[in-house]
Amino acid sequence: MATLQPDRRLIMFVDMESYSRHDDAGQVNAQMNFRPLMRRAAEQCGLDRDGWEIQSSGDGELALFPLGTPEPRLVADLVPAMDRILRDHNRDAGAHAQVRMRVAFHQGLVTRTENGYAGSAVVTAARLVEAPALKEALASFPAAAVAMIVSSTIYRDVVSQSYSGIRKERYGRVNVRVKSFGDEAWIFIPDENVNATTIASADASTPAPRPDRSGAERAQAEPPSGSRFAFGSVVNHGPTVFGDHGRAWGAEATRADGQRRQ
């Protein structure tokens, strides 16, 4: 059997927010609206959606773009177009027909198989779109319809270079941990400033591994035993005296005769 060869592709994962919370009619409505909305967004950006390789997931899709697709156009234009279209859609739609999306961009080697697409790059995009920080960002801006997260690779190659008028200062850096995946990523919401709000920087469900430290390092990192006293931004361990004639605070001081001084 011939060995399948991967191609380096630009990857987009799209996931509809709270899809499972809809009733059956709501899920049908969301799916029926999804493809026309995506096609309209692509057309507004001058992109040919018919050339995308798409694997549907019911509540979203995995899309691989044709070789040569300009990454700056996708990052700078596609998600804002999706957001505009969805905001207009949601303004006139009932609660059961509201559509909001999370979008992840990454790039890397992808192998097409009989059962779909394989490769660590696909897994990375899938983990990014499920990042708790991305979900929190979308929840923090109720008027927004789309929240986007880009991998560190996309940020370095596209966003940080400010291609196509991209405003890199509107991207917020987060640390993503989903299952065994962990990496830095950047979040953007069209017409909003994610840096104006607090976004969780990591997924608490899978804590980051802590390196083993030597005894000396642990002793240096750990505070000394005894009392701890905080005054504003100053934290002292053990007896603390403020002022020229101040008394000891934060612990009982000991006199020369060994008795405690109150």
Side-chain angles (χ1 to χ4, degrees):
M1 183 177 67
T3 302
L4 298 176
Q5 295 296 323
D7 292 319
R8 187 167 296 277
R9 306 293 290 274
L10 181 62
I11 305 163
M12 179 179 71
F13 242 110
V14 182
D15 193 53
M16 282 187 274
E17 181 195 47
S18 303
Y19 175 81
S20 61
R21 297 179 188 175
H22 289 301
D23 59 18
D24 290 356
Q27 292 182 14
V28 169
N29 199 331
Q31 287 199 29
M32 290 180 63
N33 286 320
F34 179 79
R35 287 182 179 273
L37 290 170
M38 292 296 296
R39 183 170 292 278
R40 284 179 58 195
E43 289 173 350
Q44 285 190 12
C45 300
L47 297 168
D48 181 12
R49 183 169 163 83
D50 291 333
W52 303 3
E53 296 181 40
I54 296 172
Q55 181 173 300
S56 177
S57 60
D59 59 347
E61 68 181 26
L62 161 67
L64 273 64
F65 297 96
L67 296 174
T69 300
E71 295 180 16
R73 181 188 297 177
L74 286 172
V75 176
D77 298 339
L78 181 58
V79 167
M82 292 167 60
D83 184 73
R84 289 192 300 269
I85 292 169
L86 283 174
R87 288 192 194 220
D88 289 342
H89 169 84
N90 291 339
R91 188 177 298 116
D92 300 326
H96 70 286
Q98 296 283 315
V99 179
R100 303 178 82 211
M101 297 181 184
R102 302 189 310 276
V103 181
F105 279 105
H106 183 47
Q107 63 87 20
L109 294 176
V110 179
T111 302
R112 183 173 184 174
T113 72
E114 294 180 355
N115 199 39
Y117 301 92
S120 61
V122 175
V123 175
T124 294
R127 297 292 182 257
L128 289 175
V129 84
E130 288 296 329
L134 184 63
K135 296 177 181 180
E136 183 180 343
L138 188 56
S140 298
F141 295 92
V146 182
M148 175 177 71
I149 188 168
V150 300
S151 66
S152 56
T153 304
I154 296 294
Y155 181 85
R156 181 194 66 219
D157 294 347
V158 180
V159 176
S160 69
Q161 304 303 316
S162 299
Y163 284 118
S164 300
I166 292 173
R167 298 181 62 183
K168 61 183 178 182
E169 71 275 8
R170 289 297 181 94
Y171 284 70
R173 182 175 62 183
V174 294
N175 292 316
V176 178
R177 288 202 169 271
V178 180
K179 299 182 179 179
S180 61
F181 172 83
D183 200 1
E184 182 180 80
W186 299 77
I187 290 176
F188 171 79
I189 297 180
D191 296 327
E192 307 288 357
N193 184 3
V194 297
N195 292 308
T197 188
T198 301
I199 301 174
S201 63
D203 178 7
S205 66
T206 308
R210 300 179 61 182
D212 187 27
R213 296 180 296 179
S214 66
E217 289 175 320
R218 286 195 299 270
Q220 185 178 11
E222 293 171 357
S225 60
S227 59
R228 177 180 181 276
F229 184 74
F231 184 82
S233 60
V234 178
V235 179
N236 281 9
H237 296 277
T240 303
V241 177
F242 291 96
D244 294 337
H245 304 288
R247 58 168 293 185
W249 294 88
E252 295 174 330
T254 304
R255 300 189 317 206
D257 60 4
Q259 299 298 316
R260 296 187 207 174
R261 181 181 299 143
Q262 301 298 327

